[in-house]
Amino acid sequence: MLYQKLARAGYHTYLGVIESGAASIGLTASGSRTPRSQTVEKAVFAAPYNAGRNSVGNSAASASIASWNEALELPSGEVAHISVVTSSCGIVSDMDEVPVQLLDGGLGTTLEDNYKVRFTEATPLWSSHLLLSDPDRDTLTACQRSFAQVPVDVLLTATYQVSEEGFRRTRTDAYPDGVPRTDIPRFLDVAVSIVEQVKYPTTKLALSIGSYGAIMTPSQEYTGQYDDNHNSIDTLYRWHADRMSLFTSVPRLGSRVDFIAFETVPRLDEILAIRRLTTPLSSQSADAAASGPLLGRLPYWISCVFPGNARALPDGSSISKAVRALLSLEHSQDPPWGIGINCTKIAELPNLVKEYERSVRLLEEEDQLRSWPTLILYPDGTDGEVYDTATKTWKMPIGLTETNHGRSWEKQLAHIVTEARERGCWRSIVVGGCCKAGPEAISNLRAQVLHHSQA
């Protein structure tokens, strides 16, 4: 009811809390409490725009009491006890009102570390290779069950490196010359069936879709150095559209998964190519048009990678440009449900998240933002080690030492989530791990997030 009354009154931009008889939160407007006892439910509301962009002063808050009362339809002469607060995002939200969902961890590295699976250039599909090489899929099922039993709220499918090229380069006894395109959908169906089998009733499923760099040999999602045939928005758009069309042949996929996760995207043009997939165009290819129904029905997120210490995409694009490409309505009227950061060192995350927030606020000021999205965070489960694509090992870069300052990975990440919740910017937060984050790390992360939420 309060939301409806205040919306009718034309409130916007600033959020606050009204709670009759409650202790003040932040800056309290002058004025008396209601003469008679009146219970006013706790509500988030928007304060007048002219109160200022980044702060609300006492005089502005006092001057607004009459209009607040009118919006709330309080009896004449009665004044609600009003508390007005602002966050660094210009949005007020009780930390408890920013829900957190737990994502799983690094599937490929967990298969290597816990199940002794070996991936080489002869297995370009990585985790998806087990869909072909293991007839019963026992190993892949056990690995994904280990994450599901943490429990997690969101479970990713084993489809990150899926592509027609990857299947064509894969050799098995059943497919000595590679897997033809027509056979690919049945393996994708199995990948979804496995997570359906191991998930809990409330667990949501996300279709894992890697960047073009993830299917290259050696992989190039850390560098963004693509070949000449995949070096522009148009060529990457066509490639992604063709790859998505493989999934549209999976029976009832739109009702079996809850999200599409575009992961580890290293380039600005690739972000824009993915955004274009959600925009109906008369010039779409047949493959692009075929991917449309799936993308049109499901919320999706796009997560970027920031290797090293540079606060820029591997192609050199600034965070501001990346966030504009991710969210601006100028590129598509169907912005992602979530934007995020994955496959990145945890020590870089605090500043990256703040840069994301500043960049989203700029879009908000330009009226290029539909609404604040969900924040997706799943850094590598290491303390600075990076993956060497040549040796296929994890190494600490020269000159870099451990950065945890005595805190475990899960404590660092839970603290980052808590700080983001306290700033009150994001609609919700999804947090988990990427490479080297196994089920034990995700279980510890869950305990830490719960601990911070109850503190």
Side-chain angles (χ1 to χ4, degrees):
M1 179 64 74
L2 287 175
Y3 291 102
Q4 295 170 351
K5 292 176 181 177
L6 288 159
R8 288 198 302 269
Y11 283 72
H12 52 86
T13 302
Y14 287 100
L15 298 182
V17 175
I18 296 180
E19 194 170 20
S20 180
S24 299
I25 303 174
L27 178 65
T28 303
S30 60
S32 61
R33 291 159 67 173
T34 54
R36 61 184 174 84
S37 176
Q38 178 178 347
T39 300
V40 180
E41 62 179 297
K42 186 175 181 181
V44 176
F45 74 99
Y49 182 84
N50 62 10
R53 187 76 193 169
N54 296 313
S55 63
V56 179
N58 277 308
S59 58
S62 299
S64 299
I65 290 175
S67 57
W68 280 327
N69 279 9
E70 181 179 353
L72 290 170
E73 298 175 7
L74 294 179
S76 176
E78 296 188 3
V79 180
H81 183 72
I82 299 173
S83 298
V84 179
V85 297
T86 61
S87 74
S88 62
C89 291
I91 296 175
V92 170
S93 181
D94 188 319
M95 189 178 84
D96 292 336
E97 294 171 356
V98 182
V100 176
Q101 296 182 78
L102 193 67
L103 183 67
D104 60 9
L107 181 59
T109 51
T110 300
L111 285 166
E112 290 180 318
D113 294 341
N114 295 2
Y115 296 87
K116 309 308 177 188
V117 176
R118 174 74 172 157
F119 298 117
T120 68
E121 292 186 3
T123 56
L125 295 173
W126 282 67
S127 303
S128 301
H129 185 81
L130 275 68
L131 299 170
L132 290 83
S133 62
D134 181 1
D136 298 321
R137 287 91 182 188
D138 291 340
T139 300
L140 182 57
T141 300
C143 187
Q144 296 213 271
R145 180 177 285 115
S146 68
F147 283 112
Q149 290 178 337
V150 168
V152 296
D153 301 299
V154 183
L155 197 61
L156 288 156
T157 58
T159 53
Y160 176 76
Q161 271 97 359
V162 159
S163 69
E164 182 178 4
E165 301 95 311
F167 274 96
R168 190 168 56 242
R169 298 200 312 266
T170 297
R171 305 288 189 267
T172 65
D173 291 341
Y175 293 99
D177 299 320
V179 182
R181 183 184 179 96
T182 53
D183 285 4
I184 295 174
R186 71 183 182 92
F187 293 109
L188 307 184
D189 186 22
V190 172
V192 177
S193 296
I194 289 173
V195 287
E196 288 179 313
Q197 174 187 338
V198 303
K199 81 180 192 74
Y200 286 5
T202 58
T203 307
K204 296 179 179 179
L205 303 182
L207 189 67
S208 175
I209 304 290
S211 63
Y212 176 73
I215 67 97
M216 296 178 69
T217 302
S219 60
Q220 298 296 331
E221 62 259 69
Y222 293 119
T223 67
Q225 295 176 3
Y226 292 179
D227 56 81
D228 291 340
N229 292 326
H230 300 87
N231 207 27
S232 69
I233 296 175
D234 288 341
T235 55
L236 288 168
Y237 165 68
R238 288 194 291 271
W239 182 84
H240 275 280
D242 179 73
R243 195 255 300 270
M244 287 304 302
S245 70
L246 295 172
F247 290 95
T248 61
S249 299
V250 177
R252 301 174 290 101
L253 182 60
S255 62
R256 296 166 67 187
V257 299
D258 302 282
F259 305 103
I260 300 176
F262 294 98
E263 308 182 90
T264 330
V265 181
R267 295 170 51 131
L268 197 70
D269 55 5
E270 191 162 21
I271 295 172
L272 294 172
I274 294 168
R275 291 288 309 276
R276 189 186 290 184
L277 286 175
T278 70
T279 305
L281 294 174
S282 58
S283 59
Q284 278 185 333
S285 66
D287 287 330
S291 70
L294 181 63
L295 285 170
R297 288 196 302 269
L298 293 172
Y300 69 101
W301 78 68
I302 304 176
S303 183
C304 295
V305 59
F306 297 90
N309 299 316
R311 293 178 196 167
L313 292 177
D315 72 351
S317 299
S318 67
I319 293 175
S320 178
K321 287 184 178 179
V323 170
R324 178 173 292 276
L326 287 165
L327 289 176
S328 177
L329 297 177
E330 66 190 288
H331 300 304
S332 167
Q333 292 298 309
D334 183 23
W337 171 83
I339 64 172
I341 302 163
N342 77 294
C343 224
T344 297
K345 292 184 297 184
I346 193 168
E348 302 302 318
L349 225 54
N351 288 325
L352 288 171
V353 171
K354 291 174 184 176
E355 287 289 335
Y356 262 49
E357 291 170 356
R358 282 191 282 268
S359 299
V360 177
R361 285 201 304 276
L362 289 175
L363 290 179
E364 188 177 36
E365 292 172 358
E366 297 172 14
D367 291 327
Q368 286 295 324
L369 183 71
R370 176 164 295 170
S371 63
W372 276 78
T374 291
L375 176 64
I376 319 287
L377 297 176
Y378 45 128
D380 283 335
T382 69
D383 190 43
E385 300 92 338
V386 297
Y387 186 67
D388 187 320
T389 58
T391 64
K392 293 181 170 53
T393 58
W394 289 85
K395 297 179 179 179
M396 186 71 74
I398 296 175
L400 183 67
T401 58
E402 291 188 357
T403 56
N404 61 20
H405 305 296
R407 291 193 299 174
S408 65
W409 176 84
E410 57 269 14
K411 286 185 177 180
Q412 293 177 75
L413 187 49
H415 181 69
I416 293 166
V417 169
T418 297
E419 288 188 328
R421 293 180 76 194
E422 289 175 343
R423 289 193 296 271
C425 300
W426 305 96
R427 170 170 47 196
S428 63
I429 298 174
V430 176
V431 61
C434 202
C435 300
K436 305 299 282 186
E440 183 178 356
I442 300 302
S443 180
N444 292 338
L445 174 62
R446 182 178 188 273
Q448 286 297 320
V449 169
L450 288 173
H451 173 73
H452 280 253
S453 297
Q454 296 166 0

